[in-house]
C-alpha cells in the first residue's frame, strides 16, 4: 500500500511513523524543509517539501499510484483542496481529511462532500471527538479515560489505584478474572512507574497503578467501585476556553448531563460575548484569563467538582488546571497537544489528560486498517491499541484452538468475543468461530503479529 500524508506536524508524523513501521510505503508533504529533513532521516519515510494542495507537489509525492491520501495540515482549506486535487487529477482511491472549523464539520445537507463536489471519504473533527471523550469522563468521575467498543456494549475504562483498601488491591490478575465479583471485567494493560505493559496472569494490582479495564457498559458504576472509585456525579464545573472544543463540550454536557451547572471562562472579549449569546442564560460566561487567581475565585472553582481546561495553549491549560486544584477543585481534565507533557501530568495532580492528536491518529488508523478492523482506540501513544476486528472463515489462527490454549505473544491479549452482537462469557475453553468479533489489546511492537493472527494483510485492505 502507498499512502501520502499531507502535514508533517505531530499528528502527521505520528501517523506516518506508525504506518511505516507496519511496512506501508509512506510519503509525507510539508512546506517546512526542516520537518521534511527529519522525516527523510528516519522511519523509512520519504519527504517532499511543498504545498500539499499543489498538483506538482502531489505528483512529485507519487499521487499517480497512491492508494490513499491523508490530509492533516493545519489548514482546513489546504486539506480540502488536497483531497479534491488527489481525486480529480490523480484518481487517488481514498481520501481522509482533518477539518476543524464547525462551519465545515456541521451536518452536510447540501452534498458538499459528495464525490462530484468535494470528494472526501472520511472527515475527522478532533475537536468534536475530544469534546465527546471529555463528556464521557465527566459522566464517570474517577475514570481518566472511557473508550467505547462493540457498538457501545463494552468500554475501556482507565482507573488509577489510589485506595489501598479497594477489593482489587494486591490481587493477582488470574484471581480477579476468575472471581465472580469481577465478572465481565478484563484487565487489558497496566501503567506502572511510567511503563505500560500487558499483565501476566500472576501479576498483582499495586497501589499507584493506572489500569485499563474492559467492562460491560451497564456495569460501569460497579466496576469503578471495585477499584476504589465511588465519586459523586459532577454537579458543577468550570471550563476554560470557548473555542471549538469548549463550545462542543458545553453543548454535549447540556444534552447528556442537563443538571450540571457550567461556568465558562474565555480570555478573548469577542469570543466570550459570542459564547454568552450562543449559549444563553443556562451557562455563566466570564470574560477573563483562567490563569488569573481572581477569575478562578470569581468562578467559585473551589466549590466545583471539575476544572476542564481546553484553550488552544497547552501551558495555559496545565497551569490553570494546577491552580484550580490548589484552590480546592476536586479534579482537573486538561487538553494537551504536546505528547512530551502527557506522562508528567498525572503525578502533578491532573486527573485526566486529553490529546487531540491522539484522537486524530486513532481515528485515521481505524480507517486505514478498515476491512476486518471495525473499531480501534489508542490506549497510549507510547504503547499500543485496542482493536475490534471481525474474524473471517479459515484464515485466522484464533480459530485453531480454545482461548486457553492460544500461544499469544506477550504484547497481545484477547479481551472480549462478541457473537451475534452480544459479548460472550469467556473461559479457557471458549472457541472463536467465523463471524465473531474479537477485542484485542495490542502493543505497537506486535502490530504485524496481530495482523497475521487476524488472518493476514486483509486488515488494511482498501
Amino acid at each position: 500500500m502507498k499512502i501520502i500524508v499531507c502535514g508533517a506536524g505531530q499528528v502527521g508524523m505520528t501517523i506516518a511513523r506508525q504506518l511505516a513501521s507496519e511496512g506501508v510505503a509512506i510519503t509525507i508533504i510539508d512546506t517546512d524543509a526542516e520537518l521534511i529533513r527529519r522525516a527523510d532521516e528516519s522511519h523509512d519515510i520519504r519527504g517532499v517539501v511543498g504545498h500539499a494542495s499543489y498538483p506538482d507537489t502531489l505528483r512529485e509525492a507519487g499521487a499517480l499510484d497512491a492508494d490513499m491520501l491523508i490530509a492533516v495540515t493545519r489548514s482546513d482549506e489546504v486539506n480540502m483542496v488536497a483531497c479534491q486535487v488527489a481525486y480529480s487529477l490523480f484518481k487517488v482511491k481514498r481520501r481522509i481529511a482533518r477539518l476543524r472549523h464547525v462551519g465545515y464539520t456541521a451536518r452536510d445537507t447540501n452534498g458538499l462532500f459528495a464525490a462530484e463536489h468535494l470528494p472526501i471519504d472520511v472527515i475527522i473533527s478532533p475537536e468534536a471527538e475530544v469534546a465527546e471523550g471529555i463528556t464521557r469522563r465527566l459522566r464517570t468521575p474517577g475514570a481518566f479515560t472511557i473508550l467505547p467498543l462493540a457498538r457501545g456494549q463494552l468500554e475501556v475504562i482507565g482507573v488509577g489505584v489510589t485506595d489501598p483498601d479497594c477489593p482489587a488491591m494486591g490481587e493477582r490478575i488470574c484471581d480477579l478474572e476468575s472471581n465472580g465479583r469481577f465478572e465481565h471485567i478484563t484487565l487489558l494493560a497496566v501503567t506502572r512507574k511510567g511503563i505500560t505493559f500487558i499483565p501476566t496472569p500472576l501479576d498483582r494490582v499495586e497501589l499507584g497503578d493506572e489500569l485499563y479495564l474492559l467492562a460491560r457498559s451497564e456495569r460501569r458504576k460497579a466496576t469503578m467501585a471495585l477499584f476504589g472509585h465511588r465519586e459523586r456525579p459532577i454537579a458543577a464545573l468550570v471550563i476554560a476556553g470557548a473555542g471549538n472544543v469548549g463550545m462542543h463540550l458545553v453543548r454535549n454536557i447540556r444534552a447528556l448531563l442537563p443538571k450540571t451547572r457550567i461556568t465558562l471562562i474565555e480570555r478573548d472579549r469577542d469570543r466570550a460575548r459570542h459564547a454568552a449569546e450562543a449559549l444563553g442564560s443556562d451557562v455563566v460566561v466570564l470574560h477573563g484569563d483562567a490563569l488569573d487567581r481572581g477569575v478562578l475565585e470569581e468562578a467559585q472553582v473551589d466549590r466545583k467538582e471539575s476544572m476542564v481546561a481546553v484553550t488552544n495553549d497547552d501551558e495555559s491549560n496545565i497551569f490553570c488546571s494546577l491552580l484550580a486544584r490548589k484552590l480546592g477543585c476536586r479534579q482537573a481534565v486538561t487538553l494537551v497537544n504536546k505528547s512530551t507533557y502527557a506522562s508528567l501530568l498525572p503525578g502533578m495532580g491532573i486527573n485526566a489528560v486529553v490529546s487531540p492528536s491522539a484522537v486524530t491518529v486513532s481515528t485515521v488508523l481505524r480507517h486505514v486498517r478498515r476491512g476486518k478492523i471495525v473499531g480501534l482506540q489508542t490506549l497510549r501513544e507510547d504503547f499500543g491499541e485496542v482493536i475490534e476486528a471481525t474474524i473471517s472463515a479459515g484464515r485466522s489462527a484464533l480459530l485453531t484452538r480454545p482461548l486457553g490454549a492460544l500461544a499469544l505473544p506477550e504484547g497481545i491479549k484477547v479481551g472480549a468475543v462478541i457473537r451475534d452482537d452480544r459479548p460472550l462469557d469467556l473461559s479457557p475453553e471458549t472457541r472463536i468461530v467465523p463471524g465473531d468479533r474479537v477485542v484485542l489489546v495490542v502493543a505497537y511492537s506486535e502490530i504485524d503479529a496481530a495482523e497475521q493472527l487476524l488472518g493476514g494483510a486483509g486488515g488494511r485492505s482498501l
Side-chain angles (χ1 to χ4, degrees):
M1 183 187 296
K2 296 181 180 180
I3 294 177
I4 296 172
V5 177
C6 303
Q10 181 176 330
V11 170
M13 280 303 300
T14 301
I15 293 167
R17 284 196 299 265
Q18 182 56 49
L19 293 175
S21 72
E22 298 172 25
V24 178
I26 295 292
T27 300
I28 193 164
I29 301 171
D30 204 282
T31 56
D32 189 323
E34 177 60 22
L35 290 177
I36 292 303
R37 183 189 65 78
R38 294 177 193 169
D40 269 334
E41 289 178 352
S42 60
H43 308 296
D44 297 320
I45 299 168
R46 177 178 171 240
V48 172
V49 179
H51 291 272
S53 57
Y54 289 4
D56 287 348
T57 304
L58 289 173
R59 183 178 287 108
E60 183 183 351
L64 280 169
D65 60 352
D67 299 297
M68 180 182 293
L69 180 134
I70 301 169
V72 288
T73 75
R74 295 179 182 273
S75 167
D76 286 0
E77 291 74 20
V78 169
N79 294 339
M80 290 191 290
V81 173
C83 288
Q84 178 72 71
V85 173
Y87 174 80
S88 298
L89 296 186
F90 302 107
K91 309 303 179 188
V92 176
K93 300 177 185 123
R94 192 160 172 81
R95 300 150 309 277
I96 297 174
R98 177 177 64 182
L99 302 181
R100 287 175 159 162
H101 194 279
V102 68
Y104 294 135
T105 57
R107 185 175 297 276
D108 176 22
T109 58
N110 299 314
L112 175 62
F113 299 110
E116 64 271 20
H117 295 150
L118 193 54
I120 302 175
D121 297 297
V122 178
I123 296 171
I124 296 169
S125 173
E127 284 78 6
E129 294 196 36
V130 164
E132 290 173 8
I134 293 173
T135 306
R136 289 194 296 269
R137 288 173 174 83
L138 295 175
R139 291 179 69 185
T140 310
F144 61 80
T145 193
I146 299 281
L147 305 173
L149 289 166
R151 298 170 185 160
Q153 296 180 81
L154 300 173
E155 293 175 335
V156 177
I157 304 174
V159 296
V161 182
T162 57
D163 180 1
D165 299 320
C166 74
M169 182 64 196
E171 293 292 326
R172 296 188 304 176
I173 306 305
C174 58
D175 294 333
L176 284 180
E177 295 183 349
S178 62
N179 186 325
R181 294 184 68 189
F182 294 84
E183 187 178 15
H184 306 313
I185 299 173
T186 302
L187 208 168
L188 298 179
V190 178
T191 299
R192 182 176 294 162
K193 298 178 180 178
I195 298 173
T196 304
F197 59 94
I198 296 175
T200 70
L202 299 181
D203 282 324
R204 295 181 183 272
V205 175
E206 296 184 7
L207 193 66
D209 283 350
E210 293 181 356
L211 309 179
Y212 293 89
L213 313 169
L214 184 67
R216 303 280 177 96
S217 301
E218 72 271 13
R219 299 195 72 245
R220 182 192 307 145
K221 185 175 180 180
T223 298
M224 296 293 294
L226 289 169
F227 291 86
H229 291 278
R230 297 178 177 84
E231 290 86 350
R232 300 188 311 272
I234 298 291
L237 79 159
V238 177
I239 298 172
N244 285 338
V245 175
M247 294 296 281
H248 276 298
L249 180 58
V250 171
R251 292 185 175 109
N252 285 354
I253 293 171
R254 291 173 73 184
L256 297 175
L257 302 167
K259 295 183 180 180
T260 301
R261 300 187 303 278
I262 303 171
T263 301
L264 179 64
I265 301 173
E266 172 52 50
R267 182 169 54 186
D268 183 271
R269 184 180 297 277
D270 290 338
R271 188 178 289 169
R273 183 182 299 113
H274 169 74
E277 293 171 354
L279 298 174
S281 59
D282 289 345
V283 177
V284 176
V285 179
L286 300 179
H287 170 236
D289 190 341
L291 287 171
D292 186 328
R293 182 184 184 122
V295 172
L296 290 181
E297 289 176 343
E298 183 182 355
Q300 299 182 324
V301 74
D302 59 315
R303 302 181 186 179
K304 304 296 196 295
E305 284 93 351
S306 185
M307 173 77 193
V308 183
V310 290
T311 75
N312 292 325
D313 184 80
D314 284 358
E315 289 77 13
S316 293
N317 291 337
I318 292 168
F319 285 108
C320 80
S321 296
L322 294 175
L323 180 56
R325 289 281 284 156
K326 184 176 181 180
L327 291 173
C329 189
R330 196 175 77 193
Q331 70 166 351
V333 179
T334 306
L335 185 149
V336 175
N337 282 288
K338 298 183 180 75
S339 59
T340 50
Y341 289 155
S343 61
L344 303 176
L345 300 183
M348 297 168 64
I350 292 176
N351 307 83
V353 179
V354 182
S355 168
S357 61
V359 168
T360 305
V361 170
S362 178
T363 305
V364 168
L365 292 179
R366 180 167 68 244
H367 289 287
V368 172
R369 300 196 193 112
R370 70 196 191 110
K372 293 182 178 66
I373 306 299
V374 295
L376 184 148
Q377 300 282 3
T378 300
L379 276 191
R380 292 174 62 99
E381 289 186 63
D382 59 354
F383 171 65
E385 303 166 346
V386 177
I387 296 171
E388 181 181 349
T390 301
I391 302 301
S392 302
R395 299 183 64 189
S396 173
L398 293 173
L399 299 170
T400 59
R401 299 175 184 174
L403 290 181
L406 290 174
L408 300 179
E410 290 183 1
I412 299 176
K413 181 175 181 177
V414 176
V417 177
I418 300 100
R419 182 174 300 161
D420 298 328
D421 213 29
R422 296 184 63 182
L424 301 181
D425 295 329
L426 299 185
S427 73
E429 291 73 38
T430 300
R431 280 188 172 273
I432 296 169
V433 301
D436 284 351
R437 300 199 314 276
V438 298
V439 175
L440 303 173
V441 58
V442 182
Y444 282 131
S445 58
E446 300 293 349
I447 287 289
D448 286 343
E451 187 175 289
Q452 295 303 314
L453 194 66
L454 295 172
R460 281 203 305 258
S461 63
L462 285 169

